[in-house]
Amino acid sequence: MDRHQVFDRNLLLVRRLRALRQHGNSADFLLARACEDLEERLSAVERKFGVAVDLASHTALAAQAIQRSGKVTTIVRVEQAQQFLDNAFPAIVADEEILPLKPSSIDLIVSLLSLHLTNDTPGTLLQIRRALKPDGLFLGAMAGENTLAELRECLLAAESEFYGGASPRVVPFADVRDAGGLLQRAGFTLPVTDMETYTVRYDSAFALIRDLRAMGMQNVLIGRSRRPLRRHYFMRVAEIYAERFSDPDGRIRATFSFIWMSGWAAHESQQKPLKPGSAKASLADFLKDAETLEKK
């Protein structure tokens, strides 16, 4: 197996499909929230798009949000398995790490809450940028560094108590600066990143873990421990969680962060940064003027 791989994506697909069979879309509240944000962000874009791709959002929620914007003529969904698709939109079955999209063929590509689980995120973003027409737009959201920080701390604390050490239990999430760097590396122009953070409250850590399983979001790290975990371990996780992260009413807090990314495929009509040395006023002159004003 490639030493650069972090995630077992075959296992991820198996778990997501099992979650779909057993739970349907009962735990899609995070995706629903991301879709609300998507609608708001699309409403601020003052242009129309011919063809849009909803990339690996796993339900039709994102495609429906794009449709409600009224700014797109045709929406195509791309998913890794047929089971995630329905007949409401044209669709392609493909892995988001190997996009079957022709260069310069798409006006808008949207990806919600899946890019953080790709092994080659820079390569995936590069493929997205190449698939966009000149002046095409990419809008994406992936889980950010604060996601499940409380659960991560409790899992590590309990494992250290029982086994004298800890193994990777939660996905290593990116921060905003990482995301901005990835957009620039992939060749997007006018890249913008920001973070939205949400707190969800649960009766216990067990309720949180049930939701994560319903999302198919168990540990798929290649470097995960294969040691079977017993019930007393999870009981201790729940105890630590309640001790450290509960509110006065006894409910616990779980943090989820979305890193939003936007970037454009280059086009001659876009605003260009000034060339070094082309500014008409120097910083030194500005500082001198400011110092003079302060003395008056």
Side-chain angles (χ1 to χ4, degrees), residues 114-166:
S114 64
L115 285 176
H116 58 280
L117 292 172
T118 52
N119 281 312
D120 184 12
T121 308
T124 302
L125 287 171
L126 179 61
Q127 291 180 72
I128 289 171
R129 199 264 301 159
R130 286 176 173 169
L132 288 172
K133 294 178 181 178
D135 208 30
L137 174 63
F138 165 65
L139 269 176
M142 64 181 180
E145 61 180 333
N146 296 323
T147 297
L148 297 175
E150 302 91 349
L151 180 61
R152 184 187 304 116
E153 180 178 322
C154 297
L155 289 170
L156 293 177
E159 193 166 6
S160 295
E161 283 185 23
F162 282 108
Y163 305 111

Side-chain angles (χ1 to χ4, degrees), residues 255-272:
T255 299
F256 297 92
S257 296
F258 299 166
I259 296 177
W260 278 95
M261 304 171 288
S262 68
W264 298 81
H267 188 266
E268 60 183 11
S269 67
Q270 293 168 356
Q271 183 177 352
K272 305 285 192 306

Side-chain angles (χ1 to χ4, degrees), residues 230-295:
R230 302 182 184 277
R231 181 171 175 78
H232 68 276
Y233 166 78
F234 289 104
M235 291 293 293
R236 183 59 183 142
V237 169
E239 289 173 359
I240 295 171
Y241 211 129
E243 291 166 3
R244 300 184 184 183
F245 302 108
S246 63
D247 290 329
D249 62 1
R251 305 193 79 198
I252 63 164
R253 303 180 301 277
T255 299
F256 297 92
S257 296
F258 299 166
I259 296 177
W260 278 95
M261 304 171 288
S262 68
W264 298 81
H267 188 266
E268 60 183 11
S269 67
Q270 293 168 356
Q271 183 177 352
K272 305 285 192 306
L274 292 175
K275 294 180 180 179
S278 63
K280 295 182 179 179
S282 71
L283 178 60
D285 290 340
F286 172 79
L287 294 175
K288 184 186 295 184
D289 292 342
E291 184 179 358
T292 302
L293 289 172
E294 287 178 1
K295 291 179 179 178

Side-chain angles (χ1 to χ4, degrees), residues 177-190:
R177 288 174 297 180
D178 293 333
L182 288 173
L183 289 175
Q184 291 180 322
R185 181 176 169 184
F188 287 98
T189 62
L190 309 175

